[in-house]
Short mmCIF file of all heavy atoms in Angstrom, two decimals:
data_model
loop_
_atom_site.label_atom_id
_atom_site.label_comp_id
_atom_site.label_asym_id
_atom_site.label_seq_id
_atom_site.Cartn_x
_atom_site.Cartn_y
_atom_site.Cartn_z
N HIS N 1252 75.48 36.23 -29.26
CA HIS N 1252 76.65 37.08 -29.37
C HIS N 1252 76.49 38.12 -30.48
O HIS N 1252 77.01 39.24 -30.38
CB HIS N 1252 77.90 36.23 -29.64
CG HIS N 1252 78.53 35.68 -28.40
ND1 HIS N 1252 79.18 36.45 -27.47
CD2 HIS N 1252 78.60 34.40 -27.93
CE1 HIS N 1252 79.63 35.70 -26.49
NE2 HIS N 1252 79.30 34.44 -26.75
N MET N 1253 75.78 37.75 -31.53
CA MET N 1253 75.58 38.68 -32.65
C MET N 1253 74.46 39.67 -32.38
O MET N 1253 74.30 40.63 -33.14
CB MET N 1253 75.24 37.89 -33.93
CG MET N 1253 76.38 37.00 -34.41
SD MET N 1253 75.91 36.02 -35.85
CE MET N 1253 75.63 37.31 -37.06
N SER N 1254 73.69 39.46 -31.33
CA SER N 1254 72.57 40.35 -31.05
C SER N 1254 73.08 41.73 -30.65
O SER N 1254 74.09 41.88 -29.97
CB SER N 1254 71.70 39.77 -29.93
OG SER N 1254 70.69 40.68 -29.57
N SER N 1255 72.35 42.75 -31.07
CA SER N 1255 72.71 44.14 -30.73
C SER N 1255 72.08 44.59 -29.43
O SER N 1255 72.37 45.68 -28.94
CB SER N 1255 72.27 45.07 -31.87
OG SER N 1255 70.87 44.97 -32.09
N THR N 1256 71.19 43.77 -28.86
CA THR N 1256 70.53 44.11 -27.60
C THR N 1256 71.45 43.76 -26.44
O THR N 1256 71.85 42.60 -26.29
CB THR N 1256 69.20 43.35 -27.46
OG1 THR N 1256 68.40 43.61 -28.62
CG2 THR N 1256 68.45 43.80 -26.20
N PRO N 1257 71.79 44.71 -25.58
CA PRO N 1257 72.70 44.40 -24.45
C PRO N 1257 72.14 43.35 -23.49
O PRO N 1257 72.89 42.60 -22.89
CB PRO N 1257 72.87 45.77 -23.76
CG PRO N 1257 72.51 46.78 -24.80
CD PRO N 1257 71.45 46.14 -25.64
N THR N 1258 70.80 43.32 -23.37
CA THR N 1258 70.19 42.35 -22.45
C THR N 1258 70.50 40.92 -22.87
O THR N 1258 70.75 40.04 -22.04
CB THR N 1258 68.67 42.57 -22.38
OG1 THR N 1258 68.40 43.93 -22.08
CG2 THR N 1258 68.04 41.67 -21.33
N PHE N 1259 70.45 40.66 -24.16
CA PHE N 1259 70.72 39.32 -24.67
C PHE N 1259 72.21 38.96 -24.55
O PHE N 1259 72.55 37.79 -24.45
CB PHE N 1259 70.28 39.20 -26.12
CG PHE N 1259 68.78 39.26 -26.29
CD1 PHE N 1259 68.22 39.58 -27.53
CD2 PHE N 1259 67.93 39.01 -25.23
CE1 PHE N 1259 66.84 39.64 -27.68
CE2 PHE N 1259 66.56 39.07 -25.38
CZ PHE N 1259 66.02 39.39 -26.60
N ARG N 1260 73.06 39.96 -24.58
CA ARG N 1260 74.49 39.68 -24.58
C ARG N 1260 75.03 39.41 -23.18
O ARG N 1260 76.16 38.97 -23.03
CB ARG N 1260 75.25 40.86 -25.19
CG ARG N 1260 74.94 41.09 -26.67
CD ARG N 1260 75.63 42.33 -27.18
NE ARG N 1260 77.09 42.19 -27.18
CZ ARG N 1260 77.78 41.74 -28.23
NH1 ARG N 1260 77.15 41.40 -29.35
NH2 ARG N 1260 79.09 41.65 -28.18
N THR N 1261 74.23 39.70 -22.17
CA THR N 1261 74.65 39.42 -20.79
C THR N 1261 74.18 38.02 -20.39
O THR N 1261 73.08 37.59 -20.74
CB THR N 1261 74.06 40.46 -19.83
OG1 THR N 1261 72.64 40.45 -19.95
CG2 THR N 1261 74.59 41.85 -20.16
N ASN N 1262 74.98 37.33 -19.62
CA ASN N 1262 74.67 35.98 -19.11
C ASN N 1262 74.33 35.02 -20.25
O ASN N 1262 73.36 34.26 -20.17
CB ASN N 1262 73.53 36.02 -18.10
CG ASN N 1262 73.87 36.84 -16.88
OD1 ASN N 1262 75.02 36.83 -16.41
ND2 ASN N 1262 72.89 37.56 -16.35
N ILE N 1263 75.09 35.08 -21.31
CA ILE N 1263 74.82 34.21 -22.47
C ILE N 1263 75.00 32.75 -22.08
O ILE N 1263 74.16 31.91 -22.39
CB ILE N 1263 75.73 34.59 -23.65
CG1 ILE N 1263 75.35 35.99 -24.17
CG2 ILE N 1263 75.64 33.56 -24.76
CD1 ILE N 1263 76.25 36.48 -25.29
N ARG N 1264 76.11 32.46 -21.40
CA ARG N 1264 76.41 31.05 -21.08
C ARG N 1264 75.36 30.46 -20.15
O ARG N 1264 74.92 29.32 -20.35
CB ARG N 1264 77.79 30.97 -20.46
CG ARG N 1264 78.28 29.53 -20.26
CD ARG N 1264 79.70 29.52 -19.74
NE ARG N 1264 80.62 29.95 -20.78
CZ ARG N 1264 81.11 29.13 -21.70
NH1 ARG N 1264 80.76 27.85 -21.72
NH2 ARG N 1264 81.94 29.57 -22.61
N ALA N 1265 74.93 31.21 -19.14
CA ALA N 1265 73.91 30.69 -18.21
C ALA N 1265 72.58 30.47 -18.94
O ALA N 1265 71.88 29.47 -18.69
CB ALA N 1265 73.72 31.66 -17.04
#
Side-chain angles (χ1 to χ4, degrees):
H1252 276 290
M1253 295 177 65
S1254 175
S1255 58
T1256 306
T1258 307
F1259 292 160
R1260 296 175 66 92
T1261 58
N1262 298 323
I1263 293 177
R1264 188 176 289 276

